[in-house]
Amino acid sequence: MLLAGCIVFAVGVYYEMIKAGIPYQDPPPALQIQYAVNMGIGEELCRIGFFTILAGLAFRLVVWLLTRNR
């Protein structure tokens, strides 16, 4: 779960940095829509990846605590 979260987060960063990039100064409406879509995808993937990483870390912590006490 931890590795999956890292991969999803990395894809989200790719969408935000590379696909969306820096917005144009005076873009036509088509480029504004394309930028908004790519930025929205990147933000959502980063959010999902971050929470997946947190869930994976919590799971690893619980497993470590359970095995440590035995």
Side-chain angles (χ1 to χ4, degrees):
M1 188 151 34
L2 192 60
L3 180 62
C6 291
I7 291 171
V8 171
F9 188 80
V11 171
V13 169
Y14 167 77
Y15 259 91
E16 282 187 0
M17 296 293 187
I18 305 300
K19 293 285 278 186
I22 299 172
Y24 295 106
Q25 188 172 358
D26 243 352
L31 287 179
Q32 286 178 341
I33 293 169
Q34 182 181 3
Y35 174 78
V37 167
N38 285 334
M39 194 60 147
I41 291 171
E43 288 174 353
E44 188 68 19
L45 286 175
C46 282
R47 188 182 64 79
I48 290 170
F50 177 73
F51 287 120
T52 305
I53 289 171
L54 287 181
L57 286 174
F59 178 74
R60 293 294 298 164
L61 179 65
V62 167
V63 168
W64 179 72
L65 288 173
L66 289 176
T67 57
R68 191 179 122 219
N69 289 337
R70 287 189 177 182

